Amino acid sequence: MSILKTIKARRSAHTFKDKPVDTKILKEIFTYGSYAPTHYMKEPWNIKLYQGEGRTAFVDAIIASYIRIGMISDDASPKTLKMVDSMKSFLLSIPHHGLIYFEREADSIRFEEEYAAVCAFIQNAQLAGWEYGVGMLWTITPYMSDPLFLEEIGLNSEVFKIAAVMQIGYPEKVSRNKGRTPIEKKLEIIE
């Protein structure tokens, strides 16, 4: 597939087959991601890849964060227990969780440059993944800003920022192309 076709064909994957992606393929996908533009060749992206049994502690940290920040009730009611079981089951059904993070910069301009580079890395990885038949969902969720969540996964929130958590696997189904707004509606040409 040409890069232009891949850009148009790629979709976010919301459900995945119960089949892990070989680590060698994931490394290749992330290697292609690393060809993203990067200011001063800093390559700020880092990845924690949770798979297999490694997902359990990650999912437990997510649930604990959701309780701490009030997204899940802090009680043992049947409704809460059912919600927690449902969330855990869903999150554990995802073959791989790629937590993408970078070191914080004190200077706001440098911070934005690093964040932009990390976002380019993520998009490159999504496109490379699509070439391998691997789907991803780029998620940004409240637990990513919870300092205790970062601590539970071994990161210092004062030093590191989570840019995204990628849900990764072979897509169960591919959503239809919903099209895009014609660029003329988004483009202002100034001569």
Side-chain angles (χ1 to χ4, degrees):
M1 198 179 289
S2 81
I3 187 69
L4 298 178
K5 286 183 182 175
T6 302
I7 289 169
K8 284 182 128 178
R10 188 211 56 81
R11 299 281 173 275
S12 292
H14 296 275
T15 57
F16 301 95
K17 294 178 181 175
D18 185 20
K19 177 185 176 191
V21 179
D22 186 274
T23 302
K24 181 181 177 212
I25 292 172
L26 290 170
K27 286 179 180 179
E28 289 179 21
I29 288 168
F30 289 128
T31 296
Y32 282 111
S34 72
Y35 283 87
T38 173
H39 298 87
Y40 312 107
M41 286 303 292
K42 271 196 74 180
E43 300 177 271
W45 44 82
N46 295 284
I47 310 148
K48 284 184 176 275
L49 188 62
Y50 297 92
Q51 55 189 25
E53 292 302 313
R55 295 174 296 176
T56 303
F58 179 67
V59 169
D60 288 345
I62 291 171
I63 299 299
S65 177
Y66 281 162
I67 291 169
R68 248 189 326 275
I69 62 180
M71 289 184 66
I72 297 175
S73 295
D74 188 10
D75 63 36
S77 71
K79 181 179 177 183
T80 299
L81 295 175
K82 184 177 179 180
M83 181 190 315
V84 168
D85 283 344
S86 177
M87 278 182 135
K88 279 186 175 184
S89 178
F90 168 72
L91 291 169
L92 289 170
S93 74
I94 299 164
H96 312 272
H97 297 268
L99 187 138
I100 315 298
Y101 66 101
F102 64 103
E103 194 169 336
R104 293 180 178 276
E105 289 281 347
D107 178 89
S108 63
I109 301 292
R110 292 299 299 269
F111 181 88
E112 287 187 32
E113 288 174 347
E114 304 299 44
Y115 182 67
V118 172
C119 290
F121 165 83
I122 292 168
Q123 179 64 357
N124 275 5
Q126 287 186 113
L127 293 170
W130 203 253
E131 286 282 321
Y132 285 90
V134 174
M136 298 185 186
L137 180 64
W138 181 340
T139 67
I140 297 176
T141 57
Y143 64 81
M144 292 169 36
S145 297
D146 175 6
L148 290 176
F149 171 79
L150 273 83
E151 186 178 308
E152 286 181 15
I153 62 164
L155 295 175
N156 181 333
S157 64
E158 292 180 16
V159 177
F160 296 105
K161 167 78 175 146
I162 300 172
V165 176
M166 306 299 293
Q167 296 176 359
I168 305 168
Y170 293 107
E172 187 68 50
K173 69 177 201 169
V174 176
S175 59
R176 67 177 178 81
N177 179 348
K178 296 175 187 168
R180 291 292 190 266
T181 302
I183 201 62
E184 292 79 13
K185 293 185 176 186
K186 302 280 186 177
L187 174 66
E188 178 184 1
I189 299 173
I190 299 139
E191 295 186 41

